[in-house]
Amino acid sequence: MRELVRTNDSVLVSAIEALLNGADIPHMVLDRNMSVLEGSLGILPRRILVDEQFIAEARTLLQDAGLGHELRPDKG
């Protein structure tokens, strides 16, 4: 799994999940429930991870959707 996006914006997380689900790209969101520890302040970012074999497709999908600026740097 590789990190695709890291953000505090829960609306953005939902939008990216919808895009990935629509394209049948397997993914997982980590740290979604950290608000319990942080007191719902939204200071801890959520991370969206995609399987290695789908990372290029997922990056292209987000770039095409105008969300390329949200992508983590590509290290591979």
Side-chain angles (χ1 to χ4, degrees):
M1 299 294 274
R2 288 192 29 207
E3 187 176 8
L4 184 67
V5 174
R6 183 183 301 182
T7 182
N8 295 347
D9 187 341
S10 59
V11 174
L12 178 61
V13 170
S14 296
I16 292 172
E17 278 193 291
L19 287 169
L20 295 173
N21 285 334
D24 291 324
I25 297 176
H27 63 280
M28 65 173 46
V29 179
L30 300 180
D31 308 320
R32 185 187 307 260
N33 297 318
M34 291 303 290
S35 62
V36 172
L37 297 176
E38 70 181 26
S40 299
L41 296 175
I43 57 174
L44 297 176
R46 280 57 171 168
R47 296 174 289 156
I48 300 175
L49 277 63
V50 174
D51 191 272
E52 185 77 31
Q53 68 186 33
F54 295 99
I55 195 72
E57 184 180 352
R59 291 180 68 83
T60 300
L61 178 69
L62 266 60
Q63 288 170 347
D64 291 348
L67 298 172
H69 62 282
E70 297 291 345
L71 291 168
R72 298 295 289 173
D74 189 13
K75 297 180 182 178

